[in-house]
Amino acid sequence: MNFKKNLTSSAGGFPMAPMIDIMFLLLIFFMAASIFVQWETKVGITVPTAESGKRGSRQQGEIVINLDTEGHIFVNEVEMSQERLESLLAQVVSEFRDQPVIIRADAKTHHESVVGILDVCRKVDLWNVSFATLSPKEG
């Protein structure tokens, strides 16, 4: 018996449906990524300028701690106390030992607030800490 005689062969074409699905997924990914980038700088902090500062490469999973002029601590737009920040960082360090942290303190923030954040990082044994600054051209 010849079962193949009723089958029609189609000329190979390019399937557009999977390509459209991939494009929509890429669009969603980049939209979500742009939202997360805005969260870390949305507080309205003016970081100080530094001539010797170097722009480092961004590291995967880095935590950005924002500190405004009154000394309020923000992580991903959520205001938190030093105790809550300490528990959050302790959980992160228990999972990821070399977790990078960037402190974005306003230029007019009191030194005591910045030292408080550094003290919290030291308590949880977090050593990969850096400060955000601008070059004089950018500022």
Side-chain angles (χ1 to χ4, degrees):
M1 295 186 85
N2 187 5
F3 291 108
K4 293 185 179 181
K5 75 176 183 179
N6 291 336
L7 294 177
T8 58
S9 65
S10 63
F14 186 74
M16 287 300 290
M19 183 61 70
I20 292 171
D21 291 343
I22 290 171
M23 293 305 292
F24 278 125
L25 286 174
L26 286 173
L27 178 67
I28 291 170
F29 171 76
F30 286 116
M31 287 173 53
S34 69
I35 289 172
F36 289 124
V37 168
Q38 290 175 357
W39 279 356
E40 69 184 37
T41 60
K42 194 169 183 180
V43 177
I45 292 175
T46 306
V47 295
T49 59
E51 299 221 6
S52 63
K54 294 181 182 178
R55 181 177 296 263
S57 61
R58 298 294 302 259
Q59 298 177 9
Q60 183 177 2
E62 62 190 15
I63 298 173
V64 179
I65 300 172
N66 293 299
L67 210 62
D68 66 1
T69 54
E70 288 85 29
H72 298 123
I73 303 166
F74 294 91
V75 177
N76 288 341
E77 277 192 345
V78 177
E79 184 176 358
M80 55 182 60
S81 64
Q82 281 190 355
E83 294 81 18
R84 185 172 173 203
L85 179 66
E86 183 176 346
S87 67
L88 173 74
L89 292 178
Q91 289 174 351
V92 170
V93 168
S94 69
E95 296 291 325
F96 306 103
R97 198 79 188 130
D98 299 331
Q99 179 66 40
V101 171
I102 296 177
I103 299 175
R104 290 186 70 243
D106 194 277
K108 296 178 182 172
T109 302
H110 292 287
H111 184 70
E112 182 179 10
S113 301
V114 176
V115 170
I117 299 297
L118 287 173
D119 189 39
V120 167
C121 292
R122 179 64 196 123
K123 283 181 186 175
V124 298
D125 199 24
L126 191 68
W127 60 270
N128 194 357
V129 179
S130 58
F131 292 93
T133 60
L134 291 176
S135 66
K137 305 180 261 189
E138 294 174 325

